Amino acid sequence: MALFKNKQENLDLLQGHITTTLLQLALPIMTTGFIQMAYSLADVFWLCRVESGLVAAGTCGIVLWMCDGFSSLTKVGAEVKTAHCLGRKEGEEARANAVISLQSTFLIGALICLIFCGAYQAIIGFFHFQNQHTVQAAETYLKIVGFGLPFAFVGRTLSVISMANGNSKMPFLVNTLGLVANIILDPLLIFVLDLGVAGAAYATAFSQITVCIVMFIFLRKQAAFRHLHLCRRFSGRLLLQNLKLGYPVALQTILVSMVAMGITRIVNNFAEAAIAAQRLGVQIESLSWLTAESFGGALTAMVAQNYAAMKMQRTYNVIKRSLWLIIGLGSCITLILYFYPHILLGIFTSETDVLHYGTEYLRIISYSQVFMCLEIIIAAVYNAFGRTKFPAVVGVLCTALRIPVAMYLSSFYGTAGIWWALTICTILHSFIMIAIIVLTLSRMKSEYGLT
């Protein structure tokens, strides 16, 4: 308890050394992102030892990714609008926005849970698996994890609210608690109690519920949210404001996940080992995009507060330094994925076919990692400005290209063609985003006389 109590300090995002403040805010968020990745990798580590476990859980992961897009309807507004209110010193409005975000996020999660309960067979049937054991395992995993979705959504929203307030240490500590619970429960439920795939699902759901409850308790210990009450009157005005900010990001996330589902069906034309390798490769690749998204979360909070406070020179400098920092991080991850794929994959599996397809995937996809990191960071900047439509539209158009490009290239190069399609579309997406951010920064510099 004392450890949590000592971590309630909030950073002042409007003052102080930019790089130091940004890193102090970003590092706990990035570590939290790694913890979320570790959640998935812990499941992968054990499920690789269960028949059809990796394919089943990995496939459900794509479905859950799509569902996470619906949580973005309110999660984006929870961070951006709360940060804007705090930057303008509007404490009561910030609390009201936090409440409506949490209320609506829980309702979205509960609705998706009900859909999973009634339509899990149709959802898994979309992937056309030939192995009946894989179908049964995926249906079981999806039903159980669905019960934890409302709490998972609320937990993430609580985290971004805390980050908007300049406190990223608390989400890190609470998510660490959830990871420890997941690591302990996975082998216990999967093997000791012999629950198999269902055991991994129960462990994940329990961990998410734990994180949600503990995070809410300690968010209320922060001065800005000390009087946060979830039973206050539902505000349609604030909900509409949040939806306006969140719907472009939500639509983009949903489309990207739907494209990922389509890619999985294309991969399914080759071998189940290729699907297992792709799902394992995606989990390892998440080292890159989770790092960028976590860093982007810190950047959104910092830019949003300074932009709302009209500190344009500081806003400009924060954006420039963030771009250079993420290039360095993305380059390091590129080198790791390209030169050490066997080592990374070997932690989880020793199957020759999975190692072959997985190595092919990681080496090809490594070429796009710096570009993907830049694209995520630039989108975070526009989200902080409240201009969420632009990055979403570009993302939707470039993501939609993946399916036809993958179908075309796979007809010549097999699975390698699919991986190259993902890489090419990511680089194209990044080039467009880079061109636009350069123009935006030039306009800011000219309009406000920045140096």
Side-chain angles (χ1 to χ4, degrees):
M1 184 69 69
L3 177 62
F4 284 103
K5 192 172 182 179
N6 291 334
K7 298 301 180 183
Q8 293 293 355
E9 312 93 349
N10 300 324
L11 292 170
D12 187 346
L13 305 185
L14 302 176
Q15 300 181 58
H17 190 271
I18 288 176
T19 303
T20 301
T21 303
L22 185 60
L23 290 177
Q24 284 180 330
L25 183 63
L27 287 176
I29 301 176
M30 290 166 63
T31 309
T32 302
F34 294 148
I35 289 170
Q36 291 172 349
M37 179 181 71
Y39 265 89
S40 300
L41 291 179
D43 283 348
V44 167
F45 181 82
W46 296 112
L47 288 172
C48 281
R49 291 150 179 80
V50 177
E51 183 184 356
S52 301
L54 179 58
V55 175
T59 301
C60 291
I62 301 174
V63 178
L64 294 170
W65 181 17
M66 180 178 69
C67 294
D68 192 49
F70 289 100
S71 74
S72 297
L73 283 168
T74 52
K75 186 175 67 175
V76 173
E79 181 174 19
V80 175
K81 185 166 175 53
T82 300
H84 283 173
C85 292
L86 293 171
R88 292 191 294 263
K89 308 299 182 184
E90 299 171 352
E92 181 58 34
E93 185 77 357
R95 283 188 291 274
N97 187 70
V99 169
I100 189 62
S101 299
L102 293 170
Q103 290 172 337
S104 52
T105 299
F106 184 84
L107 290 175
I108 290 170
L111 178 60
I112 294 175
C113 175
L114 291 175
I115 293 172
F116 279 2
C117 291
Y120 62 90
Q121 291 179 323
I123 294 170
I124 299 303
F126 168 83
F127 295 96
H128 291 180
F129 289 120
Q130 302 303 314
N131 186 330
Q132 190 59 34
H133 191 276
T134 301
V135 173
Q136 292 174 351
E139 289 176 354
T140 299
Y141 190 92
L142 190 64
K143 284 188 293 183
I144 297 171
V145 169
F147 283 103
L149 270 185
F151 300 94
F153 287 1
V154 171
R156 291 169 198 154
T157 301
L158 287 164
S159 293
V160 299
I161 291 171
S162 181
M163 294 170 194
N165 193 34
N167 189 324
S168 56
K169 294 179 183 178
M170 183 53 57
F172 160 65
L173 289 171
V174 177
N175 279 283
T176 300
L177 174 66
L179 172 63
V180 171
N182 197 52
I183 289 175
I184 294 172
L185 289 173
D186 260 346
L188 177 64
L189 297 178
I190 294 172
F191 298 108
V192 177
L193 298 183
D194 197 26
L195 294 177
V197 171
Y202 282 124
T204 298
F206 177 82
S207 301
Q208 290 169 339
I209 293 169
T210 301
V211 166
C212 176
I213 294 172
V214 176
M215 188 68 222
F216 178 71
I217 291 171
F218 287 101
L219 180 69
R220 293 190 67 202
K221 292 184 179 294
Q222 296 179 23
F225 302 106
R226 193 158 291 154
H227 303 291
L228 191 68
H229 301 290
L230 295 182
C231 294
R232 69 188 293 171
R233 185 178 177 182
F234 195 88
S235 172
R237 174 183 64 85
L238 290 176
L239 176 61
L240 288 175
Q241 290 177 359
N242 279 356
L243 291 177
K244 186 176 179 180
L245 286 171
Y247 86 84
V249 179
L251 289 176
Q252 182 185 3
T253 303
I254 292 167
L255 175 70
V256 170
S257 60
M258 290 176 67
V259 169
M261 293 167 69
I263 293 293
T264 299
R265 282 192 62 170
I266 297 173
V267 175
N268 198 25
N269 294 328
F270 294 91
E272 188 166 292
I275 298 177
Q278 183 201 13
R279 299 324 308 155
L280 182 54
V282 167
Q283 295 295 340
I284 294 172
E285 186 199 0
S286 65
L287 174 68
S288 179
W289 59 261
L290 270 177
T291 299
E293 285 193 346
S294 301
F295 193 86
L299 179 61
T300 296
M302 196 164 179
V303 170
Q305 280 207 24
N306 283 277
Y307 181 70
M310 292 303 294
K311 294 196 170 188
M312 304 310 296
Q313 182 66 62
R314 185 173 175 84
T315 300
Y316 177 79
N317 291 338
V318 168
I319 296 170
K320 285 204 307 181
R321 294 188 192 184
S322 298
L323 292 173
W324 285 113
L325 285 170
I326 204 62
I327 288 173
L329 286 170
S331 298
C332 291
I333 294 169
T334 290
L335 295 174
I336 292 171
L337 295 183
Y338 186 85
F339 288 107
Y340 304 106
H342 273 92
I343 295 175
L344 296 171
L345 293 163
I347 297 172
F348 305 98
T349 183
S350 58
E351 294 184 27
T352 304
D353 287 345
V354 175
L355 286 172
H356 167 72
Y357 285 114
T359 298
E360 179 185 72
Y361 175 86
L362 289 178
R363 282 199 168 138
I364 293 174
I365 214 75
S366 69
Y367 291 106
S368 66
Q369 297 308 294
V370 174
F371 298 98
M372 180 177 64
C373 289
L374 280 170
E375 159 220 317
I376 291 171
I377 290 299
I378 295 168
V381 171
Y382 282 98
N383 290 344
F385 291 156
R387 296 165 59 187
T388 55
K389 291 182 183 178
F390 162 70
V393 169
V394 176
V396 164
L397 293 176
C398 293
T399 300
L401 285 175
R402 291 182 176 186
I403 294 291
V405 175
M407 293 177 65
Y408 177 76
L409 292 181
S410 65
S411 65
F412 294 98
Y413 306 107
T415 54
I418 301 174
W419 317 147
W420 276 114
L422 301 178
T423 297
I424 291 168
C425 291
T426 298
I427 293 173
L428 173 63
H429 186 180
S430 179
F431 278 167
I432 296 172
M433 297 293 283
I434 291 169
I436 299 301
I437 194 65
V438 168
L439 291 174
T440 298
L441 291 176
S442 297
R443 190 177 297 116
M444 282 180 63
K445 189 173 181 180
S446 173
E447 184 175 347
Y448 295 100
L450 308 179
T451 58

